[in-house]
Amino acid sequence: MISNPPTKTSNLGYQVLADRITNGQITRIVVLTGAGISTSAGIPDFRTPGTGLYDKLAPLNLPYPEAIFSISYFTHTPEPFYAIARARHPGNLKPTISHAFLALLAKKNLLHFLFTQNIDGLEEDAGVPVDKLLWTHGNWKSQHCHKCHAEYPDDLMKNAIRAGEVPYCLKTECGAAVKPDVVFFGQSLPAEFEDRQKMAAEADLMLVMGTSLKVAPCSQLPRLVKEGVPRILINMEGAGDMGNRGQDLCILGTCDNGVRELADALGWRDELETLWKDA
Ligand code: CNA
């Protein structure tokens, strides 16, 4: 896996790709997103040095940073997760213009499918139809006891997160910690992923945004795109094998700038800004 910025960006300029979209040659765009599309909404990613969550965990004395999202660790020590939960899930967040760009693709019937690794739910808030997206790592919209899987009320969960306290199962015979329905390390992805991942091979363009491509199996989705099909990376740094294929285009910088540039090339900029403002 290559994680350095690619030296070669593309033999295709994005005006060429934009023209293929506007003239109807490209109609099935598959998108993979990660934490980088939500950092400008105020949610830090995991791995960016200095600002990412993994650099801020020292006071919690974890055995290793990923333990905070590991199911085997959570089972006996859920407190660190709830110590940071409020900051990870502040509520009342506004989708970014990158989320609005995804909604615009859907509005124009160009979004074949969106795989998001994010758990913040901002894609739906921006207007991406839920039948066009899969939260591959779950989301914060519901929660269950991690042991007996009993449901747990939303209002009690909100109180626990606000207070930074561990919520426990209401069944007295259980009493285990409650966990939001996000996929922790060591847990399976939603069953739907198995079937949906085939959609990457149906793409006539893949767009990868704001992800380090370090978490499997989503990190493998860009490799499922057929050879000869263009793939675009918009990210602060190189990721995975993006940039290795002749049809790849790597736009290194922020997602928000990248989608604005793409929207300019597509002639959609005003429509994008309006959609975002109204989200
Ligand atoms: P990551 O490994 O932290 O990588 C984020 C990537 O985004 C890095 O390559 C950064 O360089 C890049 N990046 C950061 N900010 C920007 C920006 N403004 N514009 C462009 N690129 C940027 O996170 P991944 O998503 O790759 O890893 C998958 C994990 C992260 C999933 O399990 C998520 O649930 C988890 N996560 C989700 C959220 C969220 O829901 N908002 C936040 C943080 C982590």
Side-chain angles (χ1 to χ4, degrees), residues 35 39 46-47 88 117 119-120 137 211-212 235 237 255:
T39 50
F46 280 176
R47 294 181 178 81
R88 304 303 300 167
Q117 301 169 91
I119 55 179
D120 54 39
H137 297 163
T211 173
S212 62
N235 205 46
E237 56 180 356
C255 292

Side-chain angles (χ1 to χ4, degrees), residues 74-253:
F74 181 89
T75 301
H76 56 79
T77 313
E79 292 80 8
F81 175 78
Y82 283 98
I84 58 127
R86 186 175 178 173
R88 304 303 300 167
H89 189 56
N92 298 325
L93 290 174
K94 185 176 158 41
T96 67
I97 196 161
S98 300
H99 295 98
F101 185 78
L102 303 176
L104 188 56
L105 286 180
K107 196 173 156 206
K108 292 185 178 291
N109 230 358
L110 290 163
L111 183 66
H112 192 49
F113 204 68
L114 164 63
F115 296 90
T116 179
Q117 301 169 91
N118 292 346
I119 55 179
D120 54 39
L122 289 177
E123 312 80 7
E124 187 182 3
D125 296 349
V128 178
V130 289
D131 62 339
K132 286 279 174 194
L133 79 95
L134 178 65
W135 284 287
T136 60
H137 297 163
N139 61 42
W140 283 83
K141 289 175 194 284
S142 55
Q143 54 283 324
H144 290 84
C145 169
H146 86 273
K147 195 170 168 198
C148 75
H149 308 295
E151 286 182 13
Y152 189 79
D154 290 348
D155 54 338
L156 295 184
M157 184 67 171
K158 278 193 188 117
N159 291 346
I161 290 173
R162 207 173 299 128
E165 288 168 359
V166 180
Y168 289 102
C169 183
L170 299 175
K171 286 191 177 169
T172 40
E173 69 278 17
C174 179
V178 170
K179 186 181 86 53
D181 293 336
V182 301
V183 178
F184 275 30
F185 293 113
Q187 293 192 297
S188 304
L189 267 62
E192 207 186 330
F193 181 79
E194 183 69 30
D195 218 38
R196 290 292 192 185
Q197 63 179 339
K198 295 179 196 135
M199 296 181 90
E202 297 167 4
D204 48 24
L205 173 68
M206 179 151 206
L207 178 57
V208 177
M209 294 168 61
T211 173
S212 62
L213 290 180
K214 291 204 168 126
V215 179
C218 287
S219 56
Q220 299 306 308
L221 286 171
R223 293 171 191 264
L224 302 181
V225 173
K226 288 193 179 123
E227 287 288 341
V229 168
R231 305 182 305 173
I232 300 177
L233 172 74
I234 307 179
N235 205 46
M236 295 298 281
E237 56 180 356
D241 76 335
M242 298 296 296
N244 284 5
R245 296 188 187 175
Q247 303 279 310
D248 287 352
L249 168 61
C250 296
I251 305 173
L252 297 185

